[in-house]
């Protein structure tokens, strides 16, 4: 078994402890969620085919895309200009 060293601020630790939260169980759940996003795995060939299909839709103009909110677009433009 591997060991993870976790540093938690005292006030946060006291709150976790006072609520009776099993931090080991919560951390284990979190790590499992990192490993499995809930979507079934696909093969490399299927992934390549999906990308190829998406490129074909883009090139032919038949793809359907979500439009960005104008406010978001403006914020991104300002951010990019600030770099």
């Amino acid at each position: 078994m591997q060991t993870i060293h976790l540093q938690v601020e005292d006030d946060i630790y006291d709150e976790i402890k006072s609520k009776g939260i099993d931090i080991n169980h919560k951390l284990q759940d979190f790590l499992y969620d990192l490993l499995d996003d809930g979507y079934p795995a696909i093969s490399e060939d299927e992934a390549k085919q999906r990308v190829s299909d998406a490129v074909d839709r883009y090139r032919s103009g038949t793809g359907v895309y979500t439009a960005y909110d104008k406010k978001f677009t403006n914020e991104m433009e300002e951010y990019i200009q600030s770099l």
Side-chain angles (χ1 to χ4, degrees):
M1 179 182 290
Q2 300 297 317
T3 300
I4 294 177
H5 182 78
L6 179 65
Q7 291 183 311
V8 179
E9 296 292 328
D10 292 340
D11 57 335
I12 296 172
Y13 179 78
D14 290 340
E15 187 172 338
I16 290 170
K17 189 175 173 185
S18 72
K19 292 186 178 185
I21 295 172
D22 181 354
I23 197 163
N24 285 329
H25 181 73
K26 292 288 186 182
L27 184 58
Q28 185 178 12
D29 287 346
F30 173 74
L31 292 173
Y32 282 131
D33 287 345
L34 288 176
L35 295 172
D36 182 9
D37 61 5
Y39 291 97
I42 62 172
S43 69
E44 186 175 333
D45 290 338
E46 184 177 353
K48 287 179 180 179
Q49 185 62 50
R50 288 184 186 187
V51 171
S52 177
D53 292 347
V55 169
D56 290 343
R57 287 192 305 273
Y58 177 78
R59 287 183 177 157
S60 68
T62 59
V64 178
Y65 306 99
T66 303
Y68 286 120
D69 177 22
K70 185 66 175 161
K71 181 180 175 188
F72 172 77
T73 305
N74 291 342
E75 288 174 2
M76 288 306 297
E77 281 295 323
E78 290 174 15
Y79 175 73
I80 291 169
Q81 294 301 319
S82 74
L83 295 177

